[in-house]
């Protein structure tokens, strides 16, 4: 008997102050990475899919973003003196 499946993992990369494209309010947006991994006997082996999203803390909408933009935002947050970055989407 072989037990296999998938497991989902969520990583928060950064928190940015942006103007939401949906509600139009300036609010914090969490930049997140969703990874789905193939598991064998409940051990995650390799990633099947990866996607990057931002989520508005005001209205809660999630919008998919390119990987390059998410990684750039993470680097920008790491370089900010107080750990929080500001920008416009």
């Amino acid at each position: 008997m072989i037990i296999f499946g998938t497991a989902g993992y969520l990583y928060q990369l950064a928190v940015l102050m942006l103007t939401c494209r949906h509600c139009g309010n300036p609010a914090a947006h969490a930049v997140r990475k969703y990874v789905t991994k193939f598991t064998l006997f409940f051990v995650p082996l390799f990633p099947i899919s990866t996607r990057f999203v931002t989520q508005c803390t005001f209205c809660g909408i999630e919008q998919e973003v390119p990987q390059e933009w998410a990684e750039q935002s993470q680097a920008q947050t790491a370089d900010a003196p107080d750990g929080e970055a500001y920008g416009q989407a």
Side-chain angles (χ1 to χ4, degrees), residues 5-9 11 35-39 44-49:
T6 61
Y9 297 90
Y11 304 98
V35 179
T36 303
K37 294 186 178 183
F38 176 79
T39 61
L45 297 177
F46 54 87
I48 297 173
S49 69

Side-chain angles (χ1 to χ4, degrees), residues 3-23:
I3 300 172
F4 64 92
T6 61
Y9 297 90
L10 171 67
Y11 304 98
Q12 183 160 318
L13 304 177
V15 176
L16 304 173
M17 291 297 295
L18 303 171
T19 301
C20 182
R21 296 181 195 169
H22 183 258
C23 66

Side-chain angles (χ1 to χ4, degrees), residues 24-85:
N25 291 307
H29 284 67
V31 181
R32 297 181 174 158
K33 175 182 178 180
Y34 291 104
V35 179
T36 303
K37 294 186 178 183
F38 176 79
T39 61
L40 184 62
F41 294 106
F42 306 106
V43 176
L45 297 177
F46 54 87
I48 297 173
S49 69
T50 303
R51 68 185 189 108
F52 296 86
V53 298
T54 61
Q55 183 178 24
C56 177
T57 58
F58 190 83
C59 66
I61 193 164
E62 283 190 348
Q63 297 174 343
E64 198 156 342
V65 296
Q67 178 180 355
E68 296 81 23
W69 187 88
E71 291 172 350
Q72 180 184 13
S73 299
Q74 182 182 16
Q76 178 184 0
T77 303
D79 293 340
D82 60 353
E84 189 170 329

